[in-house]
Amino acid sequence: MIPSRFLKTLLPALALSLFAFPALAQTSADLSAGDTAWMLTATALVLFMTIPGLALFYGGLVRSQSVLSVLMHCLSICCLVSVLWLMFVYGLAFGDGGELNRWIGLGKVFLAGVSFDTLKGTAPGHAIPESVFFMFQMTFAIITPALIVGAYVERVKFVAVVVFSAAWLVLV
């Protein structure tokens, strides 16, 4: 039996959502809910491959005294790349550079021009929110320098890892 006070709070919320969802659907007619859900799932999977997956995998390949170092390399790369991606690297990769568009794009620095209604897609009916696209691309920008950690683990100082990862992200 459902308590009456629960129904008193649930019914107005359901009624409000019935009126809100058609308005949301009209403003973003090309938004694909399935594509958005899949992109969010793929984003989470790639992020889980980096932080616990890759960090613990490389941690198992090194001597026991270097496990914490490898974990910190992967975690710090994740933090560094996330901040740099938000600040300007997403703008470099996907922004509009005007006449310099072949070489550099700075149109989306600090997500300028990206709002909740901004969609990214190639075909009608297959667009996703640009914020989801931003996160999905960011996870691959994170995992790329984190994969390189396995090549120089136990041989490079922490500052060199941070500098190399930032340079790799910006240049590549």
Side-chain angles (χ1 to χ4, degrees), residues 22-96:
L24 181 63
Q26 289 173 359
T27 58
S28 58
D30 294 333
L31 179 67
S32 173
D35 290 349
T36 302
W38 171 246
M39 291 298 286
L40 287 171
T41 303
T43 300
L45 289 172
V46 174
L47 193 59
F48 288 143
M49 279 188 333
T50 305
I51 301 296
L54 194 62
L56 292 175
F57 175 73
Y58 285 151
L61 296 177
V62 297
R63 294 178 294 176
S64 60
Q65 65 218 31
S66 300
V67 172
L68 185 60
S69 171
V70 172
L71 296 177
M72 282 307 300
H73 286 176
C74 289
L75 184 64
S76 64
I77 287 172
C78 182
C79 296
L80 174 73
V81 170
S82 297
V83 170
L84 290 177
W85 190 257
L86 172 68
M87 286 174 51
F88 68 94
V89 177
Y90 179 73
L92 287 174
F94 297 102
D96 184 19

Side-chain angles (χ1 to χ4, degrees), residues 50 54 58 70 73-74 77 140-156 160-161 164-169 172:
T50 305
L54 194 62
Y58 285 151
V70 172
H73 286 176
C74 289
I77 287 172
F140 284 99
I142 290 169
I143 200 168
T144 303
L147 282 169
I148 300 170
V149 167
Y152 54 71
V153 67
E154 293 185 330
R155 290 180 270 196
V156 177
V161 170
F164 175 79
S165 298
W168 176 271
L169 178 70
V172 175

